[in-house]
Amino acid sequence: DVKVTQSSRYLVKRTGEKVFLECVQDMDHENMFWYRQDPGLGLRLIYFSYDVKMKEKGDIPEGYSVSREKKERFSLILESASTNQTSMYLCASSSDRAYGYTFGSGTRLTVV
Amino acid sequence: QKEVEQNSGPLSVPEGAIASLNCTYSDRGSQSFFWYRQYSGKSPELIMSIYSNGDKEDGRFTAQLNKASQYVSLLIRDSQPSDSATYLCAVNEGGGSYIPTFGRGTSLIVHP
């Protein structure tokens, strides 16, 4: 089974901190994605990447950046954490648009 | 703007009944359709994919696709309390897009 691993399940950070959320997949998938999920708002795409060194903005990229130096690893960076970035962050990967996503277990981030 | 609509529910069914979850979409060019199950506090899990008109069965789950009417549905036979979750519909357009549009999900409650 494809495994997508997110480094932290729960994280508490202070306003203004730089935050790194790590995601690693073990099935050589080309496509990787970062979403946030908030009650009533559903899944919102932050950034995605379909190749190493490539990145594309999703629907809500403001305040975030990403890094993909290796195929298996896709990192989400909160440049200066703010309280409105408190959310569940979900990483996902896919081998092809026809096959659906495999999601990681999620990181619940609280910014205080 | 592409839209995927789901009734938020909750849909409440007794144990052993058939649960019917529906999803409509706006993009006529859509080619790939997915159902994800999300337990409370957990990440989404892909449970069904369907690409052509008609029915696709997998155990107690049946996905139904009608492209002419632009809807996709998920039937769960012999519903169990363990099926209680939020079900997300996702739709991919054709033409090389890697990004599905997600509905906001339908909450299903199966009561004993």
Side-chain angles (χ1 to χ4, degrees):
Chain A
D1 278 353
V2 177
K3 209 166 183 182
V4 178
T5 302
Q6 294 185 232
S7 54
S8 304
R9 188 77 180 92
Y10 298 95
L11 214 49
V12 180
K13 295 293 183 180
R14 296 197 177 278
T15 301
E17 276 193 80
K18 191 168 187 176
V19 181
F20 294 85
L21 301 182
E22 304 288 344
C23 176
V24 178
Q25 50 93 5
D26 65 0
M27 281 297 289
D28 204 35
H29 282 181
E30 293 187 346
N31 310 313
M32 297 188 74
F33 310 84
W34 275 105
Y35 286 84
R36 63 179 283 178
Q37 187 175 35
D38 301 286
L41 296 177
L43 285 163
R44 292 184 289 169
L45 181 64
I46 305 171
Y47 268 95
F48 64 101
S49 167
Y50 49 85
D51 201 354
V52 178
K53 305 282 188 181
M54 302 294 289
K55 60 185 179 184
E56 296 284 345
K57 292 180 179 179
D59 299 320
I60 52 163
E62 297 78 19
Y64 304 94
S65 63
V66 289
S67 171
R68 194 165 181 201
E69 296 295 321
K70 293 185 178 182
K71 192 175 186 178
E72 66 271 18
R73 187 180 296 270
F74 192 36
S75 303
L76 180 69
I77 303 154
L78 285 65
E79 299 291 344
S80 177
S82 64
T83 54
N84 63 11
Q85 292 178 310
T86 292
S87 186
M88 169 71 96
Y89 288 87
L90 293 163
C91 176
S93 74
S94 73
S95 59
D96 185 279
R97 66 183 181 274
Y99 296 156
Y101 286 171
T102 299
F103 282 91
S105 56
T107 296
R108 188 164 292 281
L109 173 67
T110 302
V111 183
V112 298
Chain B
Q1 181 165 343
K2 304 181 188 69
E3 292 185 348
V4 174
E5 300 285 346
Q6 296 181 256
N7 188 320
S8 61
L11 173 66
S12 183
V13 300
E15 183 174 356
I18 296 175
S20 177
L21 305 162
N22 299 310
C23 171
T24 59
Y25 60 93
S26 62
D27 183 4
R28 284 196 169 273
S30 298
Q31 296 190 2
S32 305
F33 306 84
F34 309 96
W35 284 99
Y36 293 83
R37 177 178 61 200
Q38 187 173 23
Y39 293 115
S40 179
K42 303 294 186 183
S43 61
E45 174 192 9
L46 180 66
I47 55 172
M48 290 289 283
S49 307
I50 187 166
Y51 310 106
S52 54
N53 279 330
D55 294 0
K56 179 183 177 183
E57 189 174 316
D58 183 0
R60 295 186 296 112
F61 297 99
T62 299
Q64 299 176 318
L65 175 61
N66 185 323
K67 287 187 178 181
S69 301
Q70 295 176 242
Y71 81 79
V72 57
S73 60
L74 180 70
L75 302 179
I76 307 174
R77 290 183 300 282
D78 189 23
S79 295
Q80 301 296 310
S82 59
D83 295 324
S84 299
T86 296
Y87 290 81
L88 304 175
C89 174
V91 176
N92 267 29
E93 66 178 10
S97 171
Y98 295 94
I99 309 302
T101 301
F102 281 87
R104 295 191 178 183
T106 298
S107 174
L108 172 66
I109 299 171
V110 182
H111 53 87

